[in-house]
Amino acid sequence: MPPRIIIDGYNLIRQSPELRRYDSEDIARGREMLLAMLASYRALKPCPMPVVFDGWHEGALTEQHVREKGIEVVYSRRGEKADEVIKRLVSKARDAVIVVTSDSEITHYCKGRRCEVLPSPLFE
């Protein structure tokens, strides 16, 4: 079974010069372009690939899960950062997990759980 790849959505967008350009024009456009990129990747390497975005400033009162372009998209609830959702997903994982992020706090957490971390620019 292929490993589950958990993506720190805004971290990946803002580490990518191309995606950051779309994000600076319109945050929704940045997310849309990231999901298009991930859908292409997933077509070549089918595996579970949740993408987690912050919803903590203006998000819903509850965590939101939707599917877009075949990708599971998770928005943290208002008042909760995506980092906490990613940590929760890692702690519940029963199989191999790779986390795509350049965030040092998440990296430290993952390494303490013997979870592989792939820096965002390297994944891109």
Side-chain angles (χ1 to χ4, degrees), residues 59-72:
L61 295 176
T62 59
E63 188 173 292
Q64 302 295 303
H65 292 251
V66 297
R67 286 200 83 70
E68 293 184 34
K69 300 181 187 210
I71 306 288
E72 178 187 3

Side-chain angles (χ1 to χ4, degrees), residues 26-118:
D26 176 24
I27 195 167
R29 181 81 170 130
R31 288 192 306 262
E32 179 184 318
M33 295 307 292
L34 171 61
L35 293 174
M37 180 184 84
L38 294 175
S40 295
Y41 177 84
R42 193 167 179 272
L44 297 173
K45 293 188 173 221
C47 64
M49 191 181 304
V51 181
V52 183
F53 292 108
D54 278 322
W56 83 296
H57 282 299
E58 299 177 9
L61 295 176
T62 59
E63 188 173 292
Q64 302 295 303
H65 292 251
V66 297
R67 286 200 83 70
E68 293 184 34
K69 300 181 187 210
I71 306 288
E72 178 187 3
V73 181
V74 182
Y75 294 95
S76 68
R77 64 179 167 79
R78 189 178 312 159
E80 180 179 47
K81 292 185 178 184
D83 297 16
E84 298 309 312
V85 175
I86 293 168
K87 290 175 186 177
R88 193 167 51 251
L89 292 173
V90 167
S91 71
K92 290 180 180 179
R94 299 204 189 320
D95 296 320
V97 174
I98 298 170
V99 176
V100 175
T101 189
S102 293
D103 182 283
S104 60
E105 181 183 335
I106 297 173
T107 298
H108 180 73
Y109 180 87
C110 291
K111 288 187 177 182
R113 277 146 194 82
R114 292 183 165 57
C115 170
E116 186 177 344
V117 177
L118 191 60

